[in-house]
Amino acid sequence: AAKNNGKNQFSYFTRLMDERAHQRLRLINELRMALELGQLSVAYQPVVELATRRIIKAEALLRWNHPYFGNVEPAYFVPLAEEAGLITEIGDWIFREAAASAKRWSGALGTAFQIGINKSPIQFLSKEQDTWVEYLREVDLPAQNITVEITEGLLLHASSEVCERLLEYRDAGIQVALDDFGVGYSSMSYLKKFDIDYLKIDQSFVQDMEDDENSRTIAESIIVMAHRLGLKVIAEGVETLRQREILNEAGCDYGQGYLFSKPLAAPEFERRFIRNEKPTFYPH
Ligand code: C2E
Ligand code: MG
Ligand code: MG
Ligand code: MG
């Protein structure tokens, strides 16, 4: 009976895997069409200065509203886009959207408003031409309005092409943020080699810091180290007032998270944070 059961289970799992594989292929095909069909959009999440509670910038995050599945997570579909060779097209699209928002919002505020855009290692390694700097010149947007968010995996084995690209960004004036810091290799030796502007503490440390002394110590140490190296620190995934307080006491510069705001569609972001007359943007 046990053997039989095992066999049934085996065929159940292979069937499940087939379905998964099938669903992945289907989603890849639908992703090819998603841009054209207007199913992709950008959500903007504010980054807040912890000491003053003012919004200093925003991060642009991809959204895919699928007709049957609803919202598909970027953590799921970005790797699919990479695998299918669609990431340059999609990455360029969100870049242009975000650049347009940065331009509009800077105009409305009368001062530069910066937007961060994620760029995965696969995007950097793509053979397709990188047109970001050129595009900023075309639309006459100062590169200071753009931050590119990279992960440390890119820097660990950076090829000469990757180094050149980063230098090109740097020369143009695009700032660089190191995303998800603390969960990867964290070899940190690359921090002295590359010119980085922001370090983003991974949300796992922030989420544990209220109860876990170690997470708190790690976050505090990252902040001290980053400041010594001349980097500004952004804490990701700030959800509670207590986390904000701990981070502020530890000298963390900025925070991003549901406590301040979820990522919002452009019109709502604009209504709440750009055209809002109140100088202080969130109530806590
Ligand atoms: P990320 O760059 O680290 O983005 C932060 C993620 O944390 C976002 O998830 C955001 O919605 C989420 N988040 C913000 N505040 C909170 C909070 O208080 N609590 C919790 N639990 N989560 C919070 P999202 O939008 O699902 O994106 C996931 C990842 O997908 C991003 O991580 C990024 O690596 C990738 N991604 C998103 N958009 C793009 C894109 O345009 N290009 C590329 N290459 N990757 C992207
Ligand atoms: Mg990011
Ligand atoms: Mg990330
Ligand atoms: Mg992150």
Side-chain angles (χ1 to χ4, degrees):
K3 203 176 165 190
N4 220 338
N5 201 6
K7 197 178 164 203
N8 282 341
Q9 229 169 27
F10 178 73
S11 55
Y12 170 73
F13 280 124
T14 36
R15 218 168 41 239
L16 198 72
M17 303 259 280
D18 279 349
E19 268 167 38
R20 290 241 170 101
H22 179 77
Q23 200 196 43
R24 280 180 67 257
L25 282 179
R26 176 180 161 187
L27 277 175
I28 284 176
N29 283 326
E30 289 172 337
L31 193 50
R32 274 182 221 288
M33 305 296 297
L35 244 187
E36 229 172 291
L37 296 173
Q39 293 168 1
L40 295 186
S41 64
V42 191
Y44 297 88
Q45 187 176 38
V47 176
V48 172
E49 187 170 45
L50 294 177
T52 62
R53 303 168 184 189
R54 309 261 292 257
I55 289 184
I56 58 130
K57 54 187 270 176
E59 177 174 9
L61 295 157
L62 264 174
R63 294 291 176 261
W64 181 13
N65 189 0
H66 187 281
Y68 313 115
F69 301 125
N71 279 324
V72 184
E73 301 251 321
Y76 184 69
F77 77 81
V78 167
L80 289 186
E82 292 175 338
E83 200 184 312
L86 296 167
I87 194 62
T88 303
E89 195 185 342
I90 292 174
D92 285 354
W93 176 79
I94 186 172
F95 174 76
R96 285 159 189 237
E97 285 285 312
S101 296
K103 187 163 187 170
R104 198 167 61 249
W105 296 341
S106 295
L109 291 166
T111 173
F113 188 81
Q114 200 179 57
I115 296 183
I117 300 150
N118 294 283
K119 188 162 193 176
S120 70
I122 305 261
Q123 281 175 274
F124 270 92
L125 295 171
S126 155
K127 292 274 171 284
E128 289 165 84
Q129 213 198 332
D130 187 300
T131 54
W132 288 18
V133 169
E134 196 186 301
Y135 183 74
L136 292 177
R137 265 189 227 115
E138 258 169 51
V139 298
D140 197 25
L141 178 72
Q144 284 73 17
N145 289 37
I146 300 294
T147 307
V148 59
E149 301 201 357
I150 61 173
T151 48
E152 60 185 343
L154 180 74
L155 304 181
L156 277 176
H157 315 286
S159 63
S160 57
E161 283 94 341
V162 168
C163 294
E164 262 171 46
R165 180 72 55 236
L166 287 171
L167 279 175
E168 187 205 356
Y169 284 176
R170 159 79 32 211
D171 288 346
I174 292 178
Q175 297 201 301
V176 178
L178 197 51
D179 210 344
D180 303 339
F181 189 79
V183 288
Y185 299 87
S186 300
S187 94
M188 292 186 267
S189 59
Y190 51 74
L191 284 178
K192 60 181 188 205
K193 197 170 141 206
F194 295 96
D195 203 353
I196 291 159
D197 301 282
Y198 299 95
L199 201 150
K200 301 188 80 169
I201 301 179
D202 190 72
Q203 56 185 54
S204 58
F205 297 106
V206 177
Q207 260 135 41
D208 293 344
M209 66 175 23
E210 279 176 81
D211 307 313
D212 177 25
E213 188 83 23
N214 289 344
S215 290
R216 192 168 164 166
T217 303
I218 291 169
E220 286 167 353
S221 309
I222 291 174
I223 294 163
V224 170
M225 177 201 65
H227 282 165
R228 288 249 184 127
L229 292 169
L231 294 117
K232 296 281 190 193
V233 183
I234 302 172
E236 301 193 83
V238 182
E239 292 183 357
T240 70
L241 280 171
R242 182 73 189 123
Q243 288 163 358
R244 188 197 83 87
E245 193 176 66
I246 293 170
L247 287 161
N248 191 38
E249 276 166 13
C252 184
D253 304 282
Y254 312 118
Q256 186 181 342
Y258 299 159
L259 173 68
F260 310 119
S261 170
K262 297 210 162 179
L264 302 170
E268 199 182 345
F269 187 95
E270 190 165 323
R271 204 169 331 119
R272 283 183 53 184
F273 301 122
I274 305 294
R275 307 209 180 264
N276 182 351
E277 271 94 69
K278 295 190 202 106
T280 298
F281 291 103
Y282 80 98
H284 309 291

